Structure formats: structure tokens, C-alpha cells
């Protein structure tokens, strides 16, 4: 039996809706300027950016268009340029974990993973208590019914095997850090894992993949990606015009996302970082330096800047509603003497 509770704050919701409607009018007023700046500035990268960055540009554009299988090539090229520039990749741990997880996933054969898991289960079964056998049978039925992911079944099997002193997990504990996981992962891939851990090789590689994936947070990964991309650009740029163009494109993109209320929490943090540069004077000066003939007037730029307070208010209210969701959920738990609940939210309210 499921009980549904509403945890919205009605007054905040109405303020949020009114702010959104006010912002929609400003979207219409600013759209021509945003579109012109975006369409005019982005192509300039192909003529102004240095040669080493041209391939990165192509890969990044494909990734941002959500084309299939574009993340790994983009990340690989970004890391290659970063290493050549002697940037410290240890400052971007989520990127390294994501790259390793993706490489491992490409190596995995899920049929072999299942064969290893079935063989492990067969060897382990006589040692199991009746309760453990029943639990695994229930999970297997849930996987068949697609109410539980296969990964959960495999992780449970691995934990039970470890409890019976069968050493096979890619990590020795749930608190193992990314660097330690990556060292063991390299041993697994290269075939140099310690004796006693090689009986279920493909199964353990899959567990290593799951653990790496669990350590990655999409918001932090996006921030690492943007930060490393920006750092690589700054190393390879050789002129003020190149740096100004990159900064101006970043400003216009953030304004575009802000005005069209499409910022993620990670992008909202980036917006706040660059907020001080979003002035008419700064935008006009950058535009003059990059493209003096651009037909964008100070009045056009003022329209963009004038839209900022309303859209900032939209995100402020979104975060206030986040707090209200948590506060009201905790109150419901207390009122109904319930220990657990599932909070369902979407959009900006989720990472």
C-alpha cells in the first residue's frame, strides 16, 4: 500500500509561477539579441581559435548536441590536451573516474558477466543459509519482472559471496576512494590482479565499473568538465581576442540558459561565479574587441541585463521550494510516525 502526500508550499509555488510568467515575457524581448549573438559568435571560433583546439571544438559541439557516443572521444581529447599542457588532472577526479568507467564498459561482455555470476552462484549455493537463498531467489524474480535492476542483483550476490570469504569484489570496502579503485581496476584490465581474485574476472570488472559509476555525480562531473575545458583553452590561447571570444561565448550561453530557465544546479553555480561580468559595459567592451561590426546596440544589451533580476528570482524561489519540500516531508514523517518516504521532484529540483 502506498500513501501519497503533497509537500508543496502553496504560497511559494504561486510566487514561482508568477515569476516564471513574468520571465516568459522577457524571453520574447531578448530572444532576437541572444540568437544573433549566439549565431554570430560561435562560428568565429573556427577562424580565431588556435589549431590545437580545433578538433576539441568539433568533439565538444557534437557532445553538446547530444550525438551518440560523443562523450568519450571529447573527454579523451580534452585529457590529451590537458596532459600535453601539464595540467594536473588529479584536480578533476570525477572526469578520471568517468573516463575509466566508460573504457571498462566498452571492454565488458555482459554475456560473460552473466556466465561468471551463474558459476559463482552455483559454487556458492551449498554454503548459503536458507534466508540467503530465498533473498537471491526473490531478487532474481524481481529482475525478471524488471522491478529491480540486474546490477542490484549482482552487487547483492557479490556481498553475500564476500560474507562467505570469497574474495571477488573490485573494491575491498564501500569507502574505497577513486584512486584506489582505479589502481585495482588497472590490475584487472591488465591481468595483474593478486592471486585469489581472478576466478571471476569479468564479474569483478563489472563490479569495478559499478563502483566507479556510483562515485560519479552528474553535477560535479559537469563542473569538472567545464572547468578543465576552460583551463585547457586558457593554456592554448595566444591572443587577447581569443580569450575575449571564449569569455563572451560563455557569458552569452549563461545568459541564454538563465533567461530561458534551463540552468541545471551545476550551471547555476557557474552562472553565480561569472555573474559580475554580466554588465552592459563588460559585454559591449568584449563585443567591440571581438567583432566591432556586430549590429548589437547598448540598448539591446541593456534588455538582456534588465532580464537578469527576474530570472535570478526564479532560481531563488526554486531553491526555497527545495527547502520547503524537505521541511514538509520531515513534518509528514513525524505526523504519521513513519520512518521512510520517497520524495519525488523534477527539473531544477533534481541534480
Amino acid at each position: 500500500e502506498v500513501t501519497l502526500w503533497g509537500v508543496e508550499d502553496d504560497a511559494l509555488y504561486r510566487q514561482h509561477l508568477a515569476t516564471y510568467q513574468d520571465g516568459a515575457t522577457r524571453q520574447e524581448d531578448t530572444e532576437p539579441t541572444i540568437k544573433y549573438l549566439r549565431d554570430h559568435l560561435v562560428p568565429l571560433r573556427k577562424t580565431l581559435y588556435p589549431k590545437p583546439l580545433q578538433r576539441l571544438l568539433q568533439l565538444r559541439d557534437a557532445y553538446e548536441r547530444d550525438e551518440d557516443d560523443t562523450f568519450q572521444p571529447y573527454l579523451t581529447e580534452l585529457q590529451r590536451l590537458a596532459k600535453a599542457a601539464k595540467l594536473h588532472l588529479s584536480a578533476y577526479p570525477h572526469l578520471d573516474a568517468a573516463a575509466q568507467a566508460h573504457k571498462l564498459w566498452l571492454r565488458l561482455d555482459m554475456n560473460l558477466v552473466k556466465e561468471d555470476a551463474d558459476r559463482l552462484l552455483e559454487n556458492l549455493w551449498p554454503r548459503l543459509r536458507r534466508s540467503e537463498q530465498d533473498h537471491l531467489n526473490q531478487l532474481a524474480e524481481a529482475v525478471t519482472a524488471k522491478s529491480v535492476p540486474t546490477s542490484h542483483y549482482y552487487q547483492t550476490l557479490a556481498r553475500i559471496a564476500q560474507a562467505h570469504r570469497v574474495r571477488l569484489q573490485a573494491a575491498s570496502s564501500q569507502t574505497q576512494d577513486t584512486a584506489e579503485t582505479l589502481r585495482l581496476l588497472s590490475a584487472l584490465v591488465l591481468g595483474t590482479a593478486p592471486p585469489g581474485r581472478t576466478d571471476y574476472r569479468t564479474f569483478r570488472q563489472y563490479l569495478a565499473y559499478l563502483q566507479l559509476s556510483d562515485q560519479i555525480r552528474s553535477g560535479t562531473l559537469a563542473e569538472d568538465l567545464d572547468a578543465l575545458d576552460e583551463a585547457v583553452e586558457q593554456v592554448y590561447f595566444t591572443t587577447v581576442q581569443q580569450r575575449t571570444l571564449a569569455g563572451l561565448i560563455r557569458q552569452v550561453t549563461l545568459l541564454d540558459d538563465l533567461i530561458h530557465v534551463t540552468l541545471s544546479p551545476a550551471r547555476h553555480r557557474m552562472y553565480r561565479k561569472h555573474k559580475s561580468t554580466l554588465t552592459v559595459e563588460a559585454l559591449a567592451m568584449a563585443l567591440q574587441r571581438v567583432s566591432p561590426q556586430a549590429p548589437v546596440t547598448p540598448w539591446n544589451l541593456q534588455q538582456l541585463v534588465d532580464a537578469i533580476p527576474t530570472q535570478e528570482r526564479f532560481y531563488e524561489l526554486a531553491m526555497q521550494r527545495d527547502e520547503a519540500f524537505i521541511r514538509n516531508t520531515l513534518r509528514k514523517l513525524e505526523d504519521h510516525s513513519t520512518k521512510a518516504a520517497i520524495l519525488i521532484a523534477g527539473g531544477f529540483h533534481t541534480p
Side-chain angles (χ1 to χ4, degrees):
E1 182 180 344
V2 177
T3 301
L4 298 179
W5 299 326
V7 293
E8 181 65 84
D9 183 302
D10 187 62
L12 274 178
Y13 171 76
R14 292 181 182 279
Q15 289 182 56
H16 205 190
L17 180 60
T19 303
Y20 175 80
Q21 292 169 335
D22 186 17
T25 302
R26 296 180 181 275
Q27 287 178 23
E28 295 177 5
D29 294 337
T30 58
E31 180 59 34
T33 303
I34 285 283
K35 184 177 186 309
Y36 174 80
L37 288 171
R38 187 175 57 237
D39 293 348
H40 178 70
L41 295 173
V42 169
L44 290 178
R45 298 176 306 172
K46 294 181 180 179
T47 56
L48 292 181
Y49 276 24
K51 187 176 180 180
L53 293 180
Q54 290 299 324
R55 174 163 170 74
L56 181 67
L57 275 178
Q58 295 173 0
L59 294 171
R60 181 171 63 198
D61 288 347
Y63 167 66
E64 290 179 346
R65 289 194 298 268
D66 290 327
E67 295 181 11
D68 293 338
D69 300 321
T70 53
F71 174 71
Q72 185 60 40
Y74 167 45
L75 180 56
T76 299
E77 178 66 8
L78 182 60
Q79 290 182 311
R80 184 189 72 79
L81 291 171
K83 288 177 181 178
K86 301 187 184 314
L87 293 174
H88 296 291
L89 295 179
S90 59
Y92 312 94
H94 285 76
L95 287 184
D96 202 21
Q100 292 287 350
H102 188 78
K103 288 178 183 177
L104 185 55
W105 174 254
L106 294 177
R107 292 172 179 265
L108 283 172
D109 182 331
M110 292 307 296
N111 290 324
L112 295 180
V113 173
K114 185 178 185 304
E115 288 178 14
D116 271 5
D118 290 345
R119 185 161 51 85
L120 171 63
L121 182 62
E122 182 180 355
N123 294 336
L124 192 61
W125 195 260
R127 310 186 201 182
L128 300 182
R129 297 187 296 273
R130 180 61 180 271
S131 60
E132 293 171 324
Q133 293 176 345
D134 290 344
H135 183 46
L136 287 172
N137 281 332
Q138 291 171 0
L139 278 180
E141 292 174 0
V143 169
T144 301
K146 298 183 177 180
S147 59
V148 166
T150 306
S151 59
H152 179 61
Y153 172 76
Y154 285 158
Q155 287 173 315
T156 302
L157 175 60
R159 283 195 294 272
I160 292 175
Q162 192 175 37
H164 287 271
R165 299 187 179 182
V166 178
R167 300 285 300 278
L168 51 82
Q169 264 192 300
S172 58
S173 73
Q174 294 298 317
T175 58
Q176 185 171 14
D177 63 20
T178 301
E180 188 177 349
T181 301
L182 292 176
R183 284 195 294 273
L184 181 53
L185 174 57
S186 296
L188 289 170
V189 173
L190 295 174
T192 58
R197 289 192 174 189
T198 56
D199 290 340
Y200 307 99
R201 176 185 175 83
T202 308
F203 184 61
R204 288 188 294 105
Q205 288 180 334
Y206 179 64
L207 293 174
Y209 163 77
L210 291 178
Q211 186 169 28
L212 282 169
S213 299
D214 287 345
Q215 292 173 1
I216 299 167
R217 297 292 176 266
S218 59
T220 308
L221 176 62
E223 288 179 295
D224 275 4
L225 195 61
D226 287 339
L228 182 57
D229 197 301
E230 185 175 349
V232 165
E233 284 185 343
Q234 293 304 315
V235 169
Y236 284 91
F237 286 154
T238 58
T239 70
V240 172
Q241 192 178 35
Q242 290 168 351
R243 292 189 174 87
T244 303
L245 175 61
L248 188 55
I249 289 175
R250 190 173 297 111
Q251 290 168 312
V252 170
T253 302
L254 287 171
L255 277 172
D256 191 1
D257 291 346
L258 176 77
I259 291 171
H260 289 88
V261 292
T262 57
L263 288 173
S264 65
R267 293 282 293 169
H268 185 256
R269 287 191 290 272
M270 178 176 287
Y271 163 76
R272 293 173 66 181
K273 175 183 174 183
H274 293 279
K275 176 183 173 181
S276 61
T277 68
L278 300 176
T279 65
V280 173
E281 294 76 14
L283 292 170
M285 185 180 298
L287 193 58
Q288 177 68 22
R289 184 174 292 164
V290 169
S291 181
Q293 305 304 319
V296 177
T297 67
W299 182 82
N300 296 135
L301 296 177
Q302 188 66 57
Q303 272 192 313
L304 294 181
V305 172
D306 286 347
I308 289 177
T310 299
Q311 304 308 73
E312 284 183 340
R313 179 61 177 159
F314 174 88
Y315 288 100
E316 289 170 5
L317 289 168
M319 288 183 280
Q320 289 179 31
R321 287 177 64 206
D322 287 344
E323 295 174 0
F325 294 161
I326 300 297
R327 185 171 59 251
N328 292 340
T329 299
L330 293 175
R331 185 178 297 122
K332 290 287 186 182
L333 289 172
E334 185 177 345
D335 291 345
H336 293 268
S337 300
T338 302
K339 295 182 178 179
I342 298 173
L343 176 59
I344 301 174
F348 184 80
H349 303 293
T350 57

